[in-house]
Amino acid sequence: MKKRVKQSVKDKRNNLNGFLFALPWIIGFLCFSIYPLASSLYYSFTSFSPVSDPVWIGMKNFQNIFQDPLVVKSLKNTLFMSFISTPLNLLCALCLALICARQQKAKGVVRTIYFLPSVIPMVAGTMVWIWMFDPTYGIINSVLAKLGIRGPAWLLDPKTTRWSLVMMGLWHVGTAMLVIMNAVQEVSSSYYEAAKIDGANVFDLFFHITIPGIAHVIVYQAILNLINSFQYFQQVYIIVRASSGNAIGLASGGPANSILMYPLYIFHNAFVYMDMGKASAMAWLLFLVVAAMTVIMIKVTKRVTEGMGGE
């Protein structure tokens, strides 16, 4: 009986010590994650700015969102980046992963070259791309001119601005490449050997062994890229500020608002128009859209993966 009491006291003491060690993280999580989330949810139902107290207005912020043409424009731009840039990034990462997985000589050098752009600071990398896209002095148009092609005004023409962002995105596929490459290397070689004995060609090996074997990794990377594309902000913010001469308080989305992404418009509403209530409502709408698309994507890809496995 005494041993049980001592053991119980010891367990309680260990639990208390564990709780005390975790307490700093718990306090930080409550203060910097839960409280801001709860506050933004409350502010989304209020008329609120940094210079006035919040006033409850119900669903008016959400009604204003769907009546704002710039919200529709920014959503279209964001969806373009999501469903154009994400597949292209994954395809590029997959091709590079297959190349690196089969590379025999100078493996470390080749992988480092492909991965290096991913560790370059976003601000510095974006400024380099702004210079490269310059219609007069940029290296891209200079190369095209030598080939007899007249290059467009990449970041000045609404027809090419979004495609310029897609090109910039292809530069940062190093992380996805390494993850996919490791997944490719983990596929058992016995599957390939058995398939070759049965007369399978290169395409059969790729579509019936490699892709099903790494499908879960591709799905994971697709979900991450999709979420990141809906949070696309830093690059367009830098481009807009650079094109406007770094003007403070300027709300711009590029030529004809062609690169006005949804997060950038949230920023404009919050810190340029000082409408924190509408910005909070837009942020929660973004959260619901991303959550719904993630759930749908997981279910669809699960069925596709099971179908591949069933074959």
Side-chain angles (χ1 to χ4, degrees):
M1 187 67 180
K2 291 182 178 180
K3 289 184 178 180
R4 290 181 180 179
V5 173
K6 291 181 178 179
Q7 187 67 28
S8 177
V9 173
K10 186 177 180 180
D11 291 340
K12 291 182 180 179
R13 186 177 300 170
N14 290 336
N15 291 335
L16 178 61
N17 291 336
F19 175 76
L20 292 176
F21 277 113
L23 188 59
W25 181 89
I26 295 174
I27 294 174
F29 179 72
L30 293 174
C31 294
F32 301 110
S33 294
I34 300 300
Y35 176 73
L37 283 173
S39 298
S40 67
L41 181 60
Y42 168 72
Y43 292 143
S44 66
F45 296 100
T46 65
S47 176
F48 172 54
S49 71
V51 294
S52 64
D53 295 330
V55 178
W56 186 268
I57 59 174
M59 298 294 294
K60 288 186 179 180
N61 283 327
F62 293 93
Q63 294 174 357
N64 293 335
I65 288 176
F66 294 105
Q67 295 173 357
D68 189 346
L70 288 181
V71 171
V72 178
K73 181 71 173 181
S74 62
L75 275 175
K76 288 182 179 179
N77 294 335
T78 304
L79 289 173
F80 177 88
M81 290 300 298
S82 299
F83 295 105
I84 299 297
S85 182
T86 296
L88 289 177
N89 287 351
L90 288 177
L91 180 61
C92 182
L94 177 60
C95 293
L96 293 177
L98 294 174
I99 293 173
C100 291
R102 297 185 178 184
Q103 185 72 25
Q104 298 298 328
K105 297 181 180 179
K107 289 184 179 180
V109 176
V110 174
R111 295 173 187 176
T112 302
I113 292 173
Y114 289 141
F115 180 72
L116 190 60
S118 298
V119 299
I120 295 177
M122 188 63 68
V123 176
T126 304
M127 294 303 296
V128 170
W129 275 100
I130 291 175
W131 169 76
M132 291 174 63
F133 282 131
D134 188 277
T136 306
Y137 306 104
I139 189 173
I140 296 177
N141 280 5
S142 298
V143 172
L144 292 177
K146 292 181 179 180
L147 298 175
I149 302 173
R150 184 178 180 181
W154 295 97
L155 296 176
L156 302 176
D157 188 351
K159 296 179 181 179
T160 58
T161 48
R162 294 187 299 182
W163 290 105
S164 302
L165 298 180
V166 172
M167 292 174 60
M168 290 175 57
L170 293 175
W171 199 49
H172 289 273
V173 298
T175 303
M177 176 208 69
L178 288 181
V179 174
I180 295 175
M181 182 190 65
N182 290 331
V184 170
Q185 292 177 338
E186 289 179 358
V187 178
S188 177
S189 59
S190 61
Y191 296 147
Y192 295 101
E193 294 172 358
K196 289 179 181 178
I197 293 174
D198 292 336
N201 55 34
V202 176
F203 294 100
D204 292 330
L205 296 177
F206 178 74
F207 287 106
H208 295 284
I209 296 179
T210 303
I211 293 298
I214 64 174
H216 61 289
V217 175
I218 295 178
V219 171
Y220 176 73
Q221 290 298 318
I223 293 172
L224 285 182
N225 286 352
L226 185 67
I227 294 174
N228 291 333
S229 65
F230 272 92
Q231 298 174 345
Y232 199 88
F233 170 78
Q234 193 170 3
Q235 296 93 322
V236 290
Y237 178 76
I238 295 170
I239 292 172
V240 168
R241 291 293 296 270
S243 61
S244 63
N246 204 29
I248 299 175
L250 178 66
S252 174
N257 288 317
S258 56
I259 56 174
L260 179 64
M261 299 299 164
Y262 192 80
L264 180 63
Y265 193 46
I266 293 177
F267 176 85
H268 287 167
N269 278 280
F271 300 106
V272 179
Y273 306 137
M274 297 298 175
D275 192 348
M276 295 287 184
K278 183 179 178 182
S280 298
M282 291 178 63
W284 274 97
L285 179 62
L286 176 63
F287 168 77
L288 294 176
V289 170
V290 172
M293 293 188 66
T294 302
V295 172
I296 294 172
M297 195 172 185
I298 291 174
K299 290 185 177 180
V300 171
T301 50
K302 184 178 180 181
R303 292 182 180 180
V304 173
T305 303
E306 290 175 351
M308 288 181 174
E311 293 178 359

